Amino acid sequence: MRIVVVGGVAGGMSCAARARRLDESAEIIVIERGEYVSYANCGLPYFVGGEIADPAKLLVQTPQSLRAALDLDVRTRHEVTGLDPRERVLTVHTPEGIERISYDALVLAPGAQAARPPIPGLDSPRVRSLRTVDDALALREQVEEGARRAVVLGAGFIGIEAAEALARQGLDVTVVELADHVLPPLERELAALVSDELHALGIDTRIGIAATGIQPGAGHDLVALGDGTQLPAELIVLSVGVRPDTTAFEAAGVRCERSAIVVDEHGRTSVPGIWAVGDATVSTDAVTGDRRPVALAGPANRAGRLVADDILRPGTARPIPHPVGTAIVRIGSLTAALTGANRAALDAAGSVYRTIHLHPNQHAGYFPGASQLHLIVHFRESDGLLLGAQAVGAQGVDKRIDVLATAIRAGMTVEDLIDLDLAYSPPYGQAKDPVNLAGMLGENVRTGTLALWYAQDVDRILAEAFVLDTRSRAEFATGHLPGALNIPHTELRERLGEVRTASEGRPVRVMCASGVRSAIAHRVLAQAGFDSASLSGGILTLQAALADRAAELLRFDEAMQHA
């Protein structure tokens, strides 16, 4: 059998390697358009930033090493330009000319190309994407040749990594993002923490605005923005998304949706004898059912392995699982990570869900180095099924998101999180891990033990309800909602009469710093007959969700601040 794989890196090379392990007799040809067939594309920003010094470290395998270890016929600088499914033949442009290569089984792993919006001047030599080794080498060369100012178009995961890498190299960096906050997949209240960290790194952010043109110049280019400003730059990184690289295959009759190849649960395309994996395929979201490409290395690698199984062991091959979209990124001293669906995806799918916010320490508070972990969990209202989770913090983010990703994959409910037996020692966690605490909080919400109100509803709350702030007097002085009554939670039981008089029959909406003390106060109020609810995540979440508006909304007690 001759198996031809188009495209290397994650999905393609995983498929080829697995196929060889299953069948020593198969002829396996890997066709790669670029110079490098197996490289660490996720490591590219860290090479640009200088943390990876040697570019050879980015090369996972070479054609020579793959031939020696797995007897793979790897052909670089070969580009597929045509496909005849009836004859099972590829037309390939090679350094020596045009070649026709036949196949018994064909695996398409062409990946995706950087999206190129219709911006005048985008062909400037100072504009680069960051998807290949050549991209990384070119960016590093521009840095070493003296580039001092950089503009990054797009504040997604790769854009943020590129911005941090360039700032690490001493460049003045500006990030331009059309969405209303950085890292658009992240919820706004967590993205605010990322934005603050970017500013701490000296990175300027221009949010909610588009680049409208690039004017090339002798010493630098000028990036024009929609508000009329111009940003000088010797280096411009284009990171506004990707599009599947499938033109030749779609033209040959392989079914696609919005240029992404449609596959079944085993990676089979609409054409017999052809499979597809990776960034160029349509995936079905495990939570929402949304159909779209998922440009993540983990799912591509795993799918490549399973496609090889289906080609060579079709009777026992496991289906390719639907991705839950787990992703993580470093921003300075912070880590941001997510899994499952976010609010926007859940709203678009018409899901009825609840959201909880927590700000626990990542390990025991009495052990040196404890820091807050900011955690959001979404779950289905009807049965508590976990739908998504996100976290930002200095430490422990990866551990908690990986646990929650596993829980989502397992179909667990928010209450199930209470019972997870997670590793505990003071340097590593808490006896009640943040994941366990999320379960406890979620159960309280689902059983009605805790009622919540949310930061995005603050205007309605101020108009219709009475706000009770249960922080200490000193905390209250550092910023509080207008009209709020301050009664520390330890004094509430003795001062319920004040609340009854001041609220005048209105619903009481309680708040504190993170939601812990206000939850205690809520139980006191609810059992005393009040219509009560606690602010999810407290003023920490309120300030982050409202961003700049929080400073305008909050009131300050100068006398108490200076007391």
Side-chain angles (χ1 to χ4, degrees):
M1 170 182 274
R2 173 182 279 185
I3 301 172
V4 177
V5 179
V6 179
V9 196
M13 288 313 307
S14 293
C15 180
R18 174 67 169 176
R20 171 57 71 225
R21 290 192 293 270
L22 295 180
D23 189 346
E24 268 296 306
S25 67
E27 180 186 5
I28 303 173
I29 301 172
V30 179
I31 298 173
E32 169 58 44
R33 177 171 52 193
E35 183 69 29
Y36 308 98
V37 70
S38 181
Y39 60 89
N41 52 354
C42 295
L44 299 178
Y46 305 102
F47 170 73
V48 174
E51 292 178 86
I52 299 173
D54 183 0
K57 298 290 187 182
L58 298 172
L59 304 181
V60 180
Q61 297 282 358
T62 66
Q64 294 75 26
S65 67
L66 290 166
R67 169 69 80 177
L70 295 168
D71 192 26
L72 300 179
D73 180 1
V74 177
R75 306 179 187 183
T76 58
R77 294 187 293 160
H78 282 52
E79 182 176 4
V80 174
T81 58
L83 165 64
D84 184 341
R86 178 171 297 183
E87 297 296 325
R88 297 200 174 196
V89 172
L90 293 165
T91 301
V92 184
H93 278 234
T94 79
E96 289 74 36
I98 296 177
E99 182 179 354
R100 288 168 62 82
I101 300 175
S102 64
Y103 64 86
D104 297 305
L106 175 63
V107 180
L108 304 179
Q113 293 182 331
R116 295 181 67 83
I119 299 175
L122 205 60
D123 293 330
S124 166
R126 293 192 175 94
V127 178
R128 303 291 307 197
S129 58
L130 187 51
R131 291 190 58 80
T132 68
V133 173
D134 286 336
D135 289 333
L137 291 171
L139 286 171
R140 180 77 171 263
E141 183 179 0
Q142 287 176 280
V143 169
E144 292 173 348
E145 288 179 349
R148 304 315 316 152
R149 294 167 295 187
V151 172
V152 178
L153 302 179
F157 284 87
I158 294 175
I160 292 298
E161 288 177 330
E164 181 187 8
L166 294 169
R168 180 180 287 271
Q169 292 280 36
L171 277 72
D172 293 328
V173 181
T174 301
V175 177
V176 179
E177 171 56 54
L178 182 60
D180 62 2
H181 62 263
V182 300
L183 281 181
L186 211 60
E187 305 295 6
R188 176 192 294 273
E189 53 268 42
L190 293 184
L193 305 175
V194 173
S195 184
D196 289 344
E197 185 68 11
L198 289 171
H199 294 157
L201 294 171
I203 297 171
D204 185 20
T205 57
R206 307 295 178 92
I207 305 303
I209 195 167
T212 57
I214 297 171
Q215 180 181 334
H220 60 262
D221 290 357
L222 290 175
V223 180
L225 304 185
D227 62 359
T229 60
Q230 292 186 323
L231 304 174
E234 292 86 20
L235 188 159
I236 302 166
V237 179
L238 179 64
S239 183
V240 295
V242 297
R243 60 176 181 81
D245 191 8
T246 58
T247 302
F249 312 115
E250 189 170 12
V254 176
R255 184 185 167 209
C256 294
E257 291 180 4
R258 291 175 293 178
S259 298
I261 300 171
V262 176
V263 295
D264 70 6
E265 62 180 1
H266 291 289
R268 302 167 189 152
T269 72
S270 61
V271 179
I274 301 178
W275 289 254
V277 297
D279 299 359
T281 62
V282 176
S283 294
T284 300
D285 187 277
V287 174
T288 66
D290 183 35
R291 291 170 59 80
R292 69 186 190 283
V294 175
L296 292 170
N301 272 290
R302 294 188 291 273
R305 185 179 193 274
L306 292 171
V307 162
D309 287 357
D310 191 60
I311 293 171
L312 294 167
R313 294 181 177 175
T316 59
R318 294 185 300 110
I320 299 171
H322 298 317
V324 296
T326 308
I328 191 166
V329 63
R330 185 192 71 188
I331 316 98
S333 63
L334 291 183
T335 299
L338 54 85
T339 188
N342 61 12
R343 252 191 230 110
L346 292 170
D347 289 342
S351 300
V352 180
Y353 64 96
R354 299 300 303 272
T355 300
I356 53 176
H357 301 78
L358 301 85
H359 305 278
N361 286 335
Q362 101 286 5
H363 66 52
Y366 59 79
F367 191 86
S371 62
Q372 272 190 321
L373 185 75
H374 307 278
L375 179 62
I376 291 175
V377 176
H378 304 301
F379 54 89
R380 196 158 63 195
E381 185 164 4
S382 60
D383 57 6
L385 183 73
L386 289 166
L387 301 175
Q390 303 187 355
V392 172
Q395 296 179 24
V397 168
D398 53 344
K399 171 181 175 178
R400 275 63 188 216
I401 289 298
D402 280 346
V403 170
L404 289 162
T406 304
I408 291 173
R409 169 64 66 206
M412 295 173 68
T413 67
V414 70
E415 291 95 336
D416 291 331
L417 300 179
I418 302 172
D419 304 321
L420 293 180
D421 193 356
L422 304 175
Y424 163 63
S425 178
Y428 300 103
Q430 302 186 57
K432 292 179 181 177
D433 189 85
V435 173
N436 300 132
L437 291 174
M440 296 173 188
L441 181 56
E443 182 191 50
N444 284 340
V445 170
R446 282 191 25 81
T447 59
T449 304
L450 177 63
L452 295 175
W453 67 279
Y454 294 94
Q456 58 264 35
D457 299 324
V458 65
D459 290 326
R460 179 176 59 80
I461 294 301
L462 290 175
E464 301 174 0
F466 173 73
V467 177
L468 176 66
D469 193 318
T470 60
R471 292 175 295 161
S472 69
R473 292 172 179 81
E475 290 174 286
F476 185 77
T478 64
H480 54 84
L481 289 175
L485 173 65
N486 178 218
I487 299 179
H489 76 292
T490 54
E491 302 175 12
L492 180 59
R493 290 179 179 85
E494 289 73 35
R495 299 175 62 180
L496 285 173
E498 291 180 47
V499 178
R500 201 174 302 278
T501 299
S503 63
E504 299 178 320
R506 289 173 290 168
V508 178
R509 297 298 176 252
V510 198
M511 61 182 294
C512 65
S514 66
V516 175
R517 287 171 287 178
S518 59
I520 296 171
H522 163 73
R523 292 305 303 152
V524 173
L525 291 165
Q527 292 175 81
F530 289 89
D531 175 353
S532 170
S534 170
L535 173 59
S536 184
I539 199 167
L540 285 173
T541 295
L542 178 76
Q543 289 175 309
L546 298 182
D548 294 340
R549 184 166 176 252
E552 302 172 3
L553 188 64
L554 298 180
R555 302 292 182 263
F556 301 90
D557 188 331
E558 296 293 337
M560 291 183 67
Q561 281 185 291
H562 296 293

